Amino acid sequence: MLGLLLLIAFLTTPASPPSLAVLVPSLPQSLNSPSLPLNSTAAAASAQPPECPQPPPRRPVRHADISHANLDGRFRHPAYVSNLTAALSAAIRMPTYTGAPDENFFELHSVLAELFPLLNRHATITPFGKSLLFTLAPLSNGPSSSSKDPKPLLLMAHLDTVPVEQASLDRWTHPPFAGAVADGFVWGRGAADTKSTVIAILAALDALLAAGFHPTRPVLVALGHDEESESTGAGAIARALLTERGADSLLLVLDEGSTIVHMFGAEYAVVSTTEKGYLDIDVQVVAPGGHSSAPPPHTSIGILAQAIVALEDNPFPPTLVLDDNDSDDPVALVAQHPVLFHLACVASQQPSTLPASEQRHLARLIAAAATHPAKLATHVDANPYLLPDAEPVLATTQAVDLVSGGSAPNSLPESAAATVNYRVATHMRANDVLTAVADTLRPVAARNRADLVVLPIAVDDAAKSLGTLPPRTAVVVSPRPGALDPAPVSPAHGPVWDAVAGTARHVLSEFTDPDADGSGGVGGAPGSYVVPAVLVGNTDTHHHWALTQHIHRFTPLRTHGDEHLHAVDERVRVDSLLPAVAFYHELILTLDELDD
């Protein structure tokens, strides 16, 4: 994954992207009536402002003493922030990039044990190779029925980072594994993705234990070692939890994901409730070889070039599909689709830097989308600031990332290949993408008198065998192992969501952003909204689908676009660390008070 700390991935889009297609369910009859065209006065009067359901800021009640002791005491001490910054710096100094020696990870394990001695003493720490599972269990008070035990909370992050390209070293302001603290930032590879959340989670638990916290709900922390590559560590932990506890046995899985951003004069805590699917497809052209002095009209490389052009000339259109699941509750309807939820909050935010006339127009478009979907689609397409990077969120994206072919300038290439990466939109499945790719390449194969061979999506390399290919030219479409369908959408309503969203609003009001302008907001937390989203990257959570229906992907860091994720000068703001610790701290307490 790109261990995503951004709301939206910035992907290159075609110069003239296709129009958005929007499919929405039927709304109440008053909005479906042909006698109420969108631009009529009657439609404007009847269209109700869209709901933007926001739970009130939520602070622990039963654990109020612990909450106050740390939020109003320990966390406010300058030395605590200094120690927190130093802890992240120490973690960055352990180079745990993909492919790093195993001992680097084990040294990081030791560093974490030294940094958080209370957690190391009170939690059960189970190694899964280079990955770790922390279990903070309730105090044993004699026999109890496991059927009545509260479901555990699982917090996740990962210890690994992407590598640093040697050619880029001279462009880093500070060495990538020095953990420098300068100019209000902690610098280095992994600062943003995701050693900052590793430190924040463990620091929160250590502070809770220091304040005398004894959980009644088990708290689990899974730290994978290869999220940026094969995700085997998180997979092993998830399988162990499924074997030990069974299906639907966790209350909530909270992993990295979207962040806290500024939009329209307010702060939005963006919690991804689903993520796009993933598919890599190898497109290979095999052809008879020969001497370059007697070439065919198109070599295998030439045919491959045609295939690439055909794919890039036929991108998947952005599409918003809203499934109402037979619900006539408008609040539930909005909550079931992250994008519609987002637009509803933009339309109803008060105050807002978005002009009131634009908000009213957007509200009418949302309310009347059942009968006029093209109007909403066109408006969002023409005003992308309403939904940043609408196409990557709503469309299946494709990127030709690898190309190879040929062996000598005087020899006809017998094979040429390209690897195309697809991030599968939430309304599609990986097999839908494979079918569409085959349909696009079929005319390319036909005009070159080549066979088209399409292999099925496989779960292992053995199933990818090409078998016996025809003796003539062929275009072979071969999905790589590791395909993922989009994740199930977790509910953006109900007790678990309200606990997460209420905690976020509480923490944002307690720890204000020094860069905030103070405008916008609802209820008791000025300037804060919590909205669901579609994560365009992938996380370790795809291993956990059977363990709970509540999987949230949220990194509680305020981001401003200057974190340089996966790039030169990766860094995180020092003033963003303490609110992240506070979020995990308060969420653990709040969920400990929640009835299953």
Side-chain angles (χ1 to χ4, degrees):
M1 175 204 117
L2 38 150
L4 254 151
L5 294 175
L6 301 177
L7 167 60
I8 304 298
F10 294 93
L11 303 179
T12 303
T13 56
S16 300
S19 297
L20 287 167
V22 181
L23 304 177
V24 297
S26 297
L27 293 181
Q29 182 61 37
S30 60
L31 298 180
N32 283 335
S33 172
S35 64
L36 295 177
L38 181 64
N39 294 323
S40 71
T41 303
S46 65
Q48 297 297 313
E51 295 271 358
C52 175
Q54 295 293 302
R58 186 162 176 171
R59 189 160 191 165
V61 176
R62 181 160 51 86
H63 296 302
D65 54 340
I66 295 177
S67 174
H68 285 291
N70 282 330
L71 259 67
D72 303 327
R74 177 188 300 266
F75 292 172
R76 304 293 181 175
H77 199 288
Y80 186 83
V81 177
S82 177
N83 291 339
L84 186 63
T85 303
L88 176 56
S89 176
I92 292 171
R93 290 197 296 272
M94 296 293 103
T96 50
Y97 54 86
T98 300
D102 289 357
E103 54 263 30
N104 291 18
F105 288 88
F106 298 135
E107 288 180 17
L108 179 56
H109 296 175
S110 298
V111 167
L112 296 178
E114 294 174 7
L115 289 171
F116 307 108
L118 285 177
L119 180 61
N120 191 60
R121 188 182 315 145
H122 290 279
T124 300
I125 305 175
T126 307
F128 287 78
K130 293 172 284 184
S131 297
L132 295 174
L133 175 65
F134 295 75
T135 302
L136 191 61
L139 292 176
S140 176
N141 293 314
S144 64
S145 170
S146 61
S147 63
K148 296 181 181 179
D149 290 344
K151 292 181 177 180
L153 161 67
L154 173 61
L155 303 174
M156 296 174 61
H158 58 88
L159 303 172
D160 59 314
T161 73
V162 295
V164 174
E165 294 184 12
Q166 292 299 307
S168 73
L169 287 176
D170 61 350
R171 293 189 284 123
W172 283 76
T173 302
H174 302 279
F177 297 110
V181 181
D183 303 319
F185 292 91
V186 183
W187 303 70
R189 177 61 82 228
D193 184 15
T194 61
K195 289 184 176 179
S196 51
T197 52
V198 169
I199 296 301
I201 292 169
L202 300 185
L205 281 168
D206 212 61
L208 287 167
L209 291 169
F213 174 62
H214 298 293
T216 58
R217 179 185 305 282
V219 180
L220 312 178
V221 179
L223 303 178
H225 75 273
D226 61 347
E227 189 274 347
E228 301 289 1
S229 54
E230 298 176 343
S231 191
T232 61
I237 293 173
R239 288 190 298 274
L241 291 175
L242 188 61
T243 299
E244 176 186 352
R245 299 180 180 272
D248 194 30
S249 58
L250 302 183
L251 177 72
L252 169 67
V253 171
L254 179 62
D255 196 6
E256 61 170 329
S258 307
T259 61
I260 304 164
V261 297
H262 287 276
M263 292 189 289
F264 310 112
E267 280 195 306
Y268 278 66
V270 185
V271 180
S272 290
T273 52
T274 184
E275 61 186 45
K276 296 177 72 175
Y278 185 97
L279 178 63
D280 287 322
I281 293 180
D282 291 329
V283 179
Q284 181 182 15
V285 179
V286 293
H291 199 279
S292 295
S293 60
H298 300 289
T299 67
S300 60
I301 294 176
I303 297 173
L304 178 65
Q306 294 177 39
I308 292 172
V309 169
L311 291 173
E312 294 196 339
D313 282 349
N314 292 275
F316 292 88
T319 303
L320 175 61
V321 178
L322 181 63
D323 179 7
D324 68 353
N325 293 323
D326 299 321
S327 173
D328 57 2
D329 179 356
V331 174
L333 196 63
V334 166
Q336 285 167 6
H337 199 290
V339 171
L340 195 62
F341 196 130
H342 168 93
L343 293 174
C345 290
V346 170
S348 61
Q349 176 183 322
Q350 293 297 330
S352 173
T353 58
L354 195 64
S357 59
E358 169 68 356
Q359 286 186 296
R360 288 192 297 269
H361 185 50
L362 179 60
R364 288 194 296 268
L365 292 171
I366 294 171
T371 52
H372 297 82
K375 290 184 180 288
L376 176 61
T378 300
H379 187 68
V380 174
D381 200 18
N383 300 278
Y385 55 84
L386 297 173
L387 183 67
D389 295 294
E391 188 168 2
V393 172
L394 300 177
T396 292
T397 58
Q398 63 179 4
V400 181
D401 291 327
L402 300 172
V403 176
S404 63
S407 59
N410 64 345
S411 179
L412 296 177
E414 295 181 350
S415 176
T419 300
V420 190
N421 174 253
Y422 292 90
R423 302 304 173 108
V424 184
T426 55
H427 62 277
M428 299 184 71
R429 296 293 177 265
N431 267 318
D432 299 332
V433 175
L434 178 60
T435 298
V437 168
D439 290 343
T440 299
L441 297 183
R442 189 167 285 106
V444 175
R447 68 172 172 262
N448 287 280
R449 298 182 178 179
D451 293 309
L452 179 67
V453 180
V454 181
L455 300 180
I457 292 177
V459 295
D460 55 50
D461 285 317
K464 280 187 57 182
S465 172
L466 298 181
T468 302
L469 290 172
R472 63 198 194 111
T473 302
V475 177
V476 182
V477 179
S478 176
R480 290 190 175 191
L484 288 173
D485 284 332
V489 180
S490 295
H493 56 88
V496 174
W497 170 265
D498 288 348
V500 173
T503 298
R505 298 191 67 229
H506 153 52
V507 170
L508 291 177
S509 68
E510 290 284 337
F511 296 89
T512 57
D513 187 353
D515 294 333
D517 60 12
S519 63
V522 294
S528 68
Y529 290 81
V530 183
V531 296
V534 177
L535 196 65
V536 297
N538 297 108
T539 66
D540 277 335
T541 59
H542 68 269
H543 298 291
H544 300 75
W545 294 354
L547 285 163
T548 179
Q549 65 170 323
H550 300 287
I551 298 179
H552 295 164
R553 303 153 189 89
F554 175 54
T555 300
L557 293 172
R558 287 184 167 107
T559 55
H560 300 77
D562 56 2
E563 291 77 24
H564 305 300
L565 188 82
H566 285 205
V568 169
D569 277 349
E570 182 176 350
R571 58 189 184 174
V572 66
R573 296 190 179 210
V574 171
D575 60 26
S576 70
L577 298 177
L578 187 55
V581 176
F583 171 78
Y584 290 119
H585 180 280
E586 297 294 89
L587 182 65
I588 291 167
L589 294 179
T590 296
L591 291 178
D592 198 67
E593 299 175 355
L594 188 70
D595 292 330
D596 285 0

